[in-house]
């Protein structure tokens, strides 16, 4: 892998720095001077309509950002990723989540293997499982059909499936329910298993490594719950695990060690990162819930954006532009966080999903050659569905002292079209808020406007909205499986673009290791080994002491 280009040494960076030093965003003026501004800075990618006109964008900024992408080799790195080169250098792996959504007719040979054929072989097996569970052909140990699928996994083996399941609830087969256990806090499994019937429950144990403490601990707890529950009902437990447990992993040996029938194991590959895996067999619970046809539609959405990212000219390329804008805000305007605000209750887990995707990918302090980064990297991504967020934290976005670029997401057609007694369309009230927020953030409210409302002088300043807060609006006709796939792929590629500009390996996650290791090592001290406790720093020792003294 070539040494990364230092973005701060490029000509484009110097241009951007110069522009930024005198940049005074003024959306009122920009829109007044250019009646075509919305059209000029709106883009389309598959079904997504993306309005960048309320971003800090003009022709000079756009040209310099595109130049930055060129000088830092973003397109070449994208091609290397799509071709299966080992761009994940610290783990010496290809990064091929894009292969997960290629059509079966494609061929992509990586490390001597046609990975597209492998992908479709597993996909067909997942679809076969989904069909059997959905039709009732797959039965539990007592012969009853499955009613609940419990996905046990954490991080990428949880966040994607649960987010997509919640987003696609209208597509879930009636009579089937999915639940998701992730946390090692025993409360999680306790609450999620509450009220379930072991005879009709199927567990999907999802873990790329099949070594993750949380997942294996919860999987064992679920197995004990299942066997205990079946025995209580007088159901034969011999062989029951194979009727109630399937596994998804790259580590099929560990799956067998755990006692799951290899026939019930669905593989994936080291070149699929955990946070990029919802469209692999990690999506098995989702595939069962929404069915193979809808899952295939979900994959086609990813694919449409992969193609757009590969083929659309740079100035029209939505993931490229959004990634570059994030660099612009982070490195030239000091934006430390980025809000994602979906105006769709179905997307209530989307911000949480994006947190792993973006922050585990780009929260890095060294570049792919091991040298220090030369500029700030990953922003904190966060968010909440609108309108709930409006009544919680939007105050700070409108009138606080920090610059928080925000993505607003909405759909033209609702799933539940409600009207109240006087015929008011609730979706229009909802979207009114979506349209109003980006308008208010962009154009604000001046002191004169506040005064003109008769506001007492003493509170005029408190009621001023400075405006000029950057937002990107993303709209689509409807939240379908395909559109959800498009949204996920969009953010995957935005994350890629930022990492490529910064010269970092967005596909490793070494920063999660130290805490994991320490948690394991602390076991003896926590259970009272005096020598192990004495070896701790005084803070850790006193916290453990407190725990030991207070646990009932
Ligand atoms: O600890 C972080 C992490 O490795 C994530 O990257 C991953 O998605 C998660 O743990 C779960 O890992 P696994 O799928 O191997 O259980």
């Amino acid at each position: 892998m070539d040494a990364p280009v230092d973005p701060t040494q490029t000509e484009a960076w110097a241009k951007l720095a110069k522009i930024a030093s005198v940049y005074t965003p003024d959306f009122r003026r920009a829109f007044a001077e250019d009646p075509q501004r919305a059209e000029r800075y709106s883009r389309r990618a598959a079904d997504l309509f993306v309005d960048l006109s309320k971003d800090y964008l003009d022709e000079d900024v756009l040209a310099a950002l595109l130049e930055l992408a060129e000088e830092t080799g973003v397109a070449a790195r994208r091609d290397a990723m799509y071709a299966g080169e080992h761009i994940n250098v610290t783990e010496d792996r290809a990064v091929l989540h894009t292969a997960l959504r290629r059509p079966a007719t494609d061929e992509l040979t990586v490390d001597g293997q046609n990975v597209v054929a492998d992908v479709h072989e597993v996909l067909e097996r997942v679809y076969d499982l989904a069909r059997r569970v959905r039709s009732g052909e797959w039965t539990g140990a007592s012969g009853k059909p499955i009613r609940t699928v419990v996905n046990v996994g954490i991080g990428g083996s949880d966040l994607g499936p649960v987010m997509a399941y919640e987003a696609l609830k209208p597509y879930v087969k009636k009579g089937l329910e999915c639940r998701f256990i992730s946390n090692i806090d025993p409360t999680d499994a306790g609450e999620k298993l509450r009220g379930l019937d072991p005879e009709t429950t199927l567990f999907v144990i999802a873990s790329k490594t099949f070594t993750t403490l949380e997942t294996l601990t919860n999987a064992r707890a679920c197995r004990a719950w299942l066997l205990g529950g079946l025995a209580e009902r007088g159901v034969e437990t011999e062989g029951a695990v194979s009727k109630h447990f399937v596994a998804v992993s790259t580590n099929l040996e560990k799956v067998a060690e755990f006692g799951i029938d290899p026939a019930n194991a669905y593989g994936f590959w080291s070149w699929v990162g955990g946070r990029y895996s919802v469209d692999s067999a990690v999506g098995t619970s989702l595939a069962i819930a929404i069915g193979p046809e809808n899952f295939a539609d979900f994959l086609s959405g990813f694919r449409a954006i992969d193609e757009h990212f590969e083929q659309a000219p740079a100035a029209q390329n939505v993931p490229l532009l959004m990634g570059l804008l994030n660099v612009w805000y982070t490195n030239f305007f000091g934006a430390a966080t980025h809000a994602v605000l979906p105006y769709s209750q179905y997307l209530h887990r989307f911000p949480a999903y994006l947190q792993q995707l973006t922050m585990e990918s780009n929260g890095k302090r060294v570049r792919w050659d091991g040298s220090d980064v030369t500029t700030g990297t990953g922003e904190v991504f966060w968010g909440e569905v609108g309108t709930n967020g409006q009544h919680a934290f939007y105050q700070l976005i409108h009138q606080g002292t920090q610059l928080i670029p925000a993505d607003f997401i909405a759909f033209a057609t609702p799933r539940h079209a409600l009207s109240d007694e006087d015929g008011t369309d609730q979706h229009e009230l909802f979207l009114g808020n979506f349209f109003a927020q980006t308008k208010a953030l962009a154009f604000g409210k001046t002191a004169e406007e506040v005064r003109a409302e008769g506001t007492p002088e003493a509170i005029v300043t408190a009621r001023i909205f400075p405006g000029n807060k950057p937002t990107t609006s993303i709209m689509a006709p409807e939240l379908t499986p395909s559109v959800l796939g498009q949204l996920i792929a969009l953010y995957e590629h935005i994350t890629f673009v930022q990492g490529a500009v910064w010269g970092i390996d967005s596909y490793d996650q070494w920063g999660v290791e130290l805490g994991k290791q320490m948690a394991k090592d602390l076991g003896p001290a926590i259970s009272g080994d005096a020598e192990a406790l004495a070896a701790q720093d005084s803070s850790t020792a006193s916290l453990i002491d407190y725990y030991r003294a207070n646990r009932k």
Side-chain angles (χ1 to χ4, degrees), residues 154-157 206-210 212 215 274-275 356 360 509 512 516:
I154 196 164
S157 300
S207 174
K208 179 172 172 179
T209 54
F210 229 76
T212 303
T215 301
R275 52 194 175 273
Q356 188 201 16
E360 210 174 63
Q509 57 284 319
V512 300
K516 278 188 201 171

CSV table of all heavy atoms in Angstrom, one decimal, residues 154-157 206-210 212 215 274-275 356 360 509 512 516, ligand 1:
chain,number,residue,atom,x,y,z
A,154,ILE,N,-23.3,-8.5,19.1
A,154,ILE,CA,-23.0,-7.1,19.6
A,154,ILE,C,-22.3,-6.3,18.6
A,154,ILE,O,-21.7,-6.9,17.6
A,154,ILE,CB,-22.3,-7.2,21.0
A,154,ILE,CG1,-22.3,-5.8,21.7
A,154,ILE,CG2,-20.8,-7.7,20.8
A,154,ILE,CD1,-22.0,-5.9,23.2
A,155,GLY,N,-22.2,-5.0,18.7
A,155,GLY,CA,-21.5,-4.2,17.7
A,155,GLY,C,-22.2,-4.4,16.3
A,155,GLY,O,-23.4,-4.4,16.2
A,156,GLY,N,-21.3,-4.7,15.3
A,156,GLY,CA,-21.8,-4.9,14.0
A,156,GLY,C,-22.7,-6.1,13.8
A,156,GLY,O,-23.5,-6.2,12.9
A,157,SER,N,-22.6,-7.0,14.8
A,157,SER,CA,-23.5,-8.2,14.7
A,157,SER,C,-24.8,-8.0,15.4
A,157,SER,O,-25.6,-8.9,15.5
A,157,SER,CB,-22.7,-9.4,15.4
A,157,SER,OG,-21.5,-9.6,14.7
A,206,ALA,N,-24.9,-14.4,16.3
A,206,ALA,CA,-24.1,-13.7,15.2
A,206,ALA,C,-22.8,-13.2,15.8
A,206,ALA,O,-22.9,-12.3,16.7
A,206,ALA,CB,-25.0,-12.6,14.6
A,207,SER,N,-21.7,-13.6,15.3
A,207,SER,CA,-20.4,-13.1,15.8
A,207,SER,C,-19.4,-13.4,14.7
A,207,SER,O,-19.1,-14.6,14.4
A,207,SER,CB,-20.0,-13.8,17.1
A,207,SER,OG,-18.7,-13.3,17.5
A,208,LYS,N,-18.8,-12.3,14.2
A,208,LYS,CA,-17.8,-12.5,13.2
A,208,LYS,C,-16.7,-13.5,13.7
A,208,LYS,O,-16.3,-14.4,13.0
A,208,LYS,CB,-17.2,-11.2,12.7
A,208,LYS,CG,-16.1,-11.3,11.7
A,208,LYS,CD,-15.7,-9.9,11.2
A,208,LYS,CE,-14.5,-10.1,10.3
A,208,LYS,NZ,-14.0,-8.9,9.7
A,209,THR,N,-16.2,-13.2,14.9
A,209,THR,CA,-15.0,-13.9,15.4
A,209,THR,C,-15.5,-15.2,16.2
A,209,THR,O,-14.7,-16.1,16.4
A,209,THR,CB,-14.3,-13.1,16.4
A,209,THR,OG1,-15.2,-12.6,17.4
A,209,THR,CG2,-13.6,-11.9,15.7
A,210,PHE,N,-16.7,-15.2,16.7
A,210,PHE,CA,-17.2,-16.2,17.6
A,210,PHE,C,-16.4,-16.3,18.8
A,210,PHE,O,-16.2,-17.4,19.4
A,210,PHE,CB,-17.4,-17.5,16.9
A,210,PHE,CG,-18.8,-18.1,17.2
A,210,PHE,CD1,-19.9,-17.6,16.5
A,210,PHE,CD2,-19.0,-19.1,18.1
A,210,PHE,CE1,-21.2,-18.1,16.8
A,210,PHE,CE2,-20.3,-19.6,18.4
A,210,PHE,CZ,-21.4,-19.1,17.7
A,212,THR,N,-16.4,-13.3,20.9
A,212,THR,CA,-16.7,-12.1,21.7
A,212,THR,C,-17.4,-12.5,23.0
A,212,THR,O,-18.4,-13.2,23.0
A,212,THR,CB,-17.7,-11.2,20.8
A,212,THR,OG1,-16.9,-10.9,19.6
A,212,THR,CG2,-18.0,-9.9,21.5
A,215,THR,N,-21.3,-12.0,23.4
A,215,THR,CA,-22.1,-12.9,22.6
A,215,THR,C,-22.1,-14.3,23.1
A,215,THR,O,-23.1,-15.0,23.2
A,215,THR,CB,-21.7,-12.7,21.1
A,215,THR,OG1,-21.8,-11.3,20.8
A,215,THR,CG2,-22.6,-13.6,20.2
A,274,GLY,N,-17.2,-6.0,10.7
A,274,GLY,CA,-18.4,-6.2,11.5
A,274,GLY,C,-19.4,-5.1,11.2
A,274,GLY,O,-20.6,-5.3,11.0
A,275,ARG,N,-18.9,-3.8,11.2
A,275,ARG,CA,-19.9,-2.7,11.0
A,275,ARG,C,-20.3,-2.5,9.6
A,275,ARG,O,-21.1,-1.6,9.2
A,275,ARG,CB,-19.2,-1.4,11.5
A,275,ARG,CG,-17.8,-1.1,11.0
A,275,ARG,CD,-17.1,0.0,11.8
A,275,ARG,NE,-15.7,0.2,11.4
A,275,ARG,CZ,-14.7,-0.5,11.8
A,275,ARG,NH1,-14.8,-1.5,12.6
A,275,ARG,NH2,-13.5,-0.2,11.3
A,356,GLN,N,-21.4,3.4,15.2
A,356,GLN,CA,-20.3,2.4,15.0
A,356,GLN,C,-19.7,2.5,13.7
A,356,GLN,O,-18.5,2.5,13.5
A,356,GLN,CB,-20.9,1.0,15.2
A,356,GLN,CG,-19.7,0.0,15.2
A,356,GLN,CD,-20.1,-1.4,14.9
A,356,GLN,OE1,-21.2,-1.7,14.4
A,356,GLN,NE2,-19.2,-2.4,15.3
A,360,GLU,N,-16.1,3.9,14.7
A,360,GLU,CA,-15.2,2.8,14.8
A,360,GLU,C,-14.3,2.9,13.6
A,360,GLU,O,-13.2,2.4,13.6
A,360,GLU,CB,-15.9,1.5,14.9
A,360,GLU,CG,-15.1,0.5,15.7
A,360,GLU,CD,-15.9,-0.8,16.0
A,360,GLU,OE1,-16.2,-1.5,15.0
A,360,GLU,OE2,-16.1,-1.1,17.2
A,509,GLN,N,-10.0,-1.7,14.1
A,509,GLN,CA,-10.6,-1.1,15.3
A,509,GLN,C,-9.8,-1.5,16.5
A,509,GLN,O,-10.3,-2.1,17.5
A,509,GLN,CB,-12.1,-1.5,15.4
A,509,GLN,CG,-12.4,-3.0,15.5
A,509,GLN,CD,-12.3,-3.6,14.1
A,509,GLN,OE1,-12.8,-3.1,13.1
A,509,GLN,NE2,-11.7,-4.8,14.1
A,512,VAL,N,-10.5,-0.8,20.4
A,512,VAL,CA,-11.5,-1.5,21.3
A,512,VAL,C,-10.8,-2.6,22.1
A,512,VAL,O,-11.4,-3.2,23.0
A,512,VAL,CB,-12.7,-2.1,20.5
A,512,VAL,CG1,-13.4,-1.0,19.8
A,512,VAL,CG2,-12.2,-3.2,19.6
A,516,LYS,N,-11.1,-4.5,26.5
A,516,LYS,CA,-11.6,-5.9,26.5
A,516,LYS,C,-10.6,-6.8,27.3
A,516,LYS,O,-11.0,-7.6,28.1
A,516,LYS,CB,-11.6,-6.5,25.0
A,516,LYS,CG,-12.8,-6.2,24.2
A,516,LYS,CD,-12.7,-7.0,22.9
A,516,LYS,CE,-13.5,-6.4,21.8
A,516,LYS,NZ,-13.3,-7.0,20.5
B,1,LIG,O1,-15.3,-4.7,19.8
B,1,LIG,C1,-15.6,-4.2,18.6
B,1,LIG,C2,-16.0,-5.3,17.7
B,1,LIG,O2,-14.9,-6.0,17.2
B,1,LIG,C3,-16.8,-4.7,16.5
B,1,LIG,O3,-16.0,-4.2,15.5
B,1,LIG,C4,-17.7,-5.8,16.1
B,1,LIG,O4,-18.7,-5.4,15.3
B,1,LIG,C5,-18.1,-6.3,17.5
B,1,LIG,O5,-16.9,-6.2,18.3
B,1,LIG,C6,-18.6,-7.7,17.5
B,1,LIG,O6,-17.6,-8.6,17.1
B,1,LIG,P1,-18.0,-10.1,16.6
B,1,LIG,O7,-19.0,-10.0,15.5
B,1,LIG,O8,-16.8,-10.8,16.3
B,1,LIG,O9,-18.7,-10.8,17.8
